[in-house]
Amino acid sequence: MKNLLIYYLFILSPFALMFWMISNEYAIAFVVTLLLYSTIYRGITDYFRLKARGYIGLELLRLFVPFRGRRRFFRDLYFR
């Protein structure tokens, strides 16, 4: 995932499913999907993005903590 546009497509595409769930009154499924997105899905996509950018010795478990693990690599994830 070296291309920034593809990365943004990957991180924003689950929102279509989440908006569908909230509009069709699947509130519990929406909350579960939101929690899975913010922890597991974003951790995996950010890991592969950083791995493609050349960060070899990265701890995968740090990226599963929402907002804390990604703060160190913010510029490389979202702007380069």
Side-chain angles (χ1 to χ4, degrees), residues 15-50:
F15 283 109
L17 176 66
M18 285 189 244
F19 286 136
W20 177 80
M21 285 182 185
I22 201 71
S23 67
N24 289 329
E25 299 179 4
Y26 293 112
I28 294 176
F30 171 74
V31 170
V32 170
T33 306
L34 187 63
L35 289 173
L36 289 174
Y37 173 80
S38 67
T39 56
I40 296 173
Y41 183 77
R42 285 300 306 275
I44 291 171
T45 54
D46 290 347
Y47 172 75
F48 283 117
R49 168 90 171 142
L50 289 171

